[in-house]
Amino acid sequence: MLRYFTAGETHGKCLTVIIEGMPSGVKISLDKINEQLARRQQGYGRGGRMAIERDRAEILSGVRGSVTLGSPIALKIENKDWANWEKIMGTEECTGDKSVTCPRPGHADLTGGMKYGHTDLRNVLERASARETAARVAVGALVRQAVEPFGVTFLSHVKRIGSVEDTADVNAPDFFERVKNSPVGFADAADAEKAMKYIDGIKASGESCGGIVETIVKGVPAGLGSYVHYDRKLDANIAFGVMSIQAIKGVEIGMGFGVSELPGSKVHDEIKYDGAFSRVTNNAGGIEGGMSNGEDIVVKAAMKPIPTLYNPLSTVNIQDKSAQKASVERSDVCAVPACSVVVEAAVAFEITKAFLEKFSGDCMADAQTYYNAYMDRIKKF
Ligand code: EPS
């Protein structure tokens, strides 16, 4: 089973990842991983940290001559900011102090401190930080290279930033080309302008903002995941992967919460056959009964505004219990475009995991054999 661990504090030396369960024989492009890391760093509304970092992955094991060995793959992403935090975050000696005692509402600070017994809440925020998402993006960018040769592709865009929505039609032929060139991940240029003005206003008032992102996966064969047991359901695993991303408060597959408002005939996708089975519409977002049904997989996620507010909310100092304003840590005003890259990576991980579960986890040659046999069989169904 494909799985991974991440380690690392936001101002520690580096982020580290171990990926276990990749088959042998997958061609790995480090450039593709670094492309995704660079994408995650972009977006209008990012804070000062992204000007310091130039995220690059280094592969330490499990790959030889750009091909996976089937053994665990270790990755490292250095934190350039470590140079400024060595004294505060040193693993052996830490002489500097940048302690945090006024927890930010909406962050892990207070409950994390209670749970782990930290009186300096820096010990919580260092790990709870969304810096960890750089590691997850590297994982998604690496593992998806096992399914891309089978024609599986991953796309994502920003649907909404605060109150501003991208009104462009996602089916327009150049939609994702326009998204790629947009600082806010929108396809419609006028809406993108509105979103940037909105972010400027949010920044000027010491606020932060969230939004909605969408990932679309094309080329997924019918039958990934399963209806037979709860923990093998593809939609459940995708929801878990996406909900575990920092600041995500909602996940929808296809029509999502919209299914509650309409009668069955307007929700369920009629089946047709023209040499192969397909659906007339895709309200299910490509998943029925916990299995991919061969249509595009469509996942939306809602990101809350980042909890650090330059115009801070009220809180309580954990030492003397006095009423205070929340501590202000350097932060982003809007990280929604970055979030779309992270959600894409989380979805890529879950799709790859389900794909390898179905078509062999040991070796790409076996996966190809099983894939061909399965596709032949379902063509004749
Ligand atoms: C982030 C790095 C962090 C934050 C941000 C995400 O770096 P620093 O704390 O040094 O500014 O900018 O994380 C948060 C806003 C948060 O609340 O967790 C990154 O690499 O994406």
Side-chain angles (χ1 to χ4, degrees), residues 98 130 162 199 258 261 347:
K98 256 198 156 267
I199 294 167
E261 294 163 25
V347 172

Side-chain angles (χ1 to χ4, degrees), residues 271-299:
I271 298 169
K272 60 177 180 167
Y273 185 82
D274 44 19
F277 288 104
S278 66
R279 304 297 190 279
V280 177
T281 50
N282 188 22
N283 296 331
I287 304 180
E288 289 169 307
M291 297 167 292
S292 57
N293 65 8
E295 302 295 327
D296 291 353
I297 298 208
V298 184
V299 182

Side-chain angles (χ1 to χ4, degrees), residues 129-174:
S129 165
R131 177 77 192 140
E132 191 249 358
T133 61
R136 297 210 217 183
V137 166
V139 171
L142 187 144
V143 301
R144 70 199 254 181
Q145 296 184 44
V147 296
E148 282 169 343
F150 295 91
V152 181
T153 52
F154 301 89
L155 297 161
S156 58
H157 68 107
V158 174
K159 183 73 198 143
R160 164 185 289 278
I161 289 182
S163 59
V164 186
E165 193 160 320
D166 182 4
T167 54
D169 176 8
V170 74
N171 296 312
D174 60 344

Side-chain angles (χ1 to χ4, degrees), residues 247-284:
I248 297 297
K249 294 302 265 187
V251 184
E252 289 187 325
I253 312 277
M255 202 183 235
F257 273 54
V259 299
S260 60
E261 294 163 25
L262 295 171
S265 64
K266 298 278 184 293
V267 170
H268 302 301
D269 306 304
E270 288 187 303
I271 298 169
K272 60 177 180 167
Y273 185 82
D274 44 19
F277 288 104
S278 66
R279 304 297 190 279
V280 177
T281 50
N282 188 22
N283 296 331

Side-chain angles (χ1 to χ4, degrees), residues 22-33 59 62-70 73 140-150 363-365 368:
M22 272 293 271
S24 63
V26 183
K27 285 207 181 78
I28 297 296
S29 153
L30 186 58
D31 285 349
K32 281 190 180 175
I33 301 171
I59 300 177
V63 177
R64 184 174 179 212
S66 298
V67 179
T68 57
L69 299 172
I73 298 170
L142 187 144
V143 301
R144 70 199 254 181
Q145 296 184 44
V147 296
E148 282 169 343
F150 295 91
C363 143
M364 277 296 265
Q368 187 71 63

Side-chain angles (χ1 to χ4, degrees), residues 141-340:
L142 187 144
V143 301
R144 70 199 254 181
Q145 296 184 44
V147 296
E148 282 169 343
F150 295 91
V152 181
T153 52
F154 301 89
L155 297 161
S156 58
H157 68 107
V158 174
K159 183 73 198 143
R160 164 185 289 278
I161 289 182
S163 59
V164 186
E165 193 160 320
D166 182 4
T167 54
D169 176 8
V170 74
N171 296 312
D174 60 344
F175 183 92
F176 286 99
E177 209 41 54
R178 286 185 276 146
V179 164
K180 207 168 142 188
N181 297 319
S182 162
V184 287
F186 277 22
D188 186 276
D191 292 334
E193 281 300 323
K194 275 190 226 161
M196 285 188 274
K197 283 211 177 77
Y198 177 84
I199 294 167
D200 291 342
I202 284 284
K203 186 175 181 179
S205 53
E207 282 277 5
S208 62
C209 66
I212 296 175
V213 301
E214 183 174 69
T215 289
I216 299 168
V217 195
K218 293 181 180 290
V220 179
L224 300 196
S226 180
Y227 66 93
V228 301
H229 201 247
Y230 71 91
D231 59 358
R232 293 172 59 189
K233 291 187 185 235
L234 186 62
D235 43 2
N237 285 316
I238 289 174
F240 170 77
V242 174
M243 190 59 113
S244 69
I245 297 166
Q246 291 81 343
I248 297 297
K249 294 302 265 187
V251 184
E252 289 187 325
I253 312 277
M255 202 183 235
F257 273 54
V259 299
S260 60
E261 294 163 25
L262 295 171
S265 64
K266 298 278 184 293
V267 170
H268 302 301
D269 306 304
E270 288 187 303
I271 298 169
K272 60 177 180 167
Y273 185 82
D274 44 19
F277 288 104
S278 66
R279 304 297 190 279
V280 177
T281 50
N282 188 22
N283 296 331
I287 304 180
E288 289 169 307
M291 297 167 292
S292 57
N293 65 8
E295 302 295 327
D296 291 353
I297 298 208
V298 184
V299 182
K300 280 199 197 69
M303 181 189 193
K304 69 182 180 184
I306 286 170
T308 298
L309 303 184
Y310 284 93
N311 189 7
L313 293 172
S314 297
T315 188
V316 174
N317 185 312
I318 60 164
Q319 282 172 344
D320 61 13
K321 311 299 184 283
S322 61
Q324 296 288 345
K325 289 293 176 191
S327 69
V328 180
E329 289 288 306
R330 175 183 57 196
S331 189
D332 307 309
V333 172
C334 173
V336 182
C339 180
S340 81

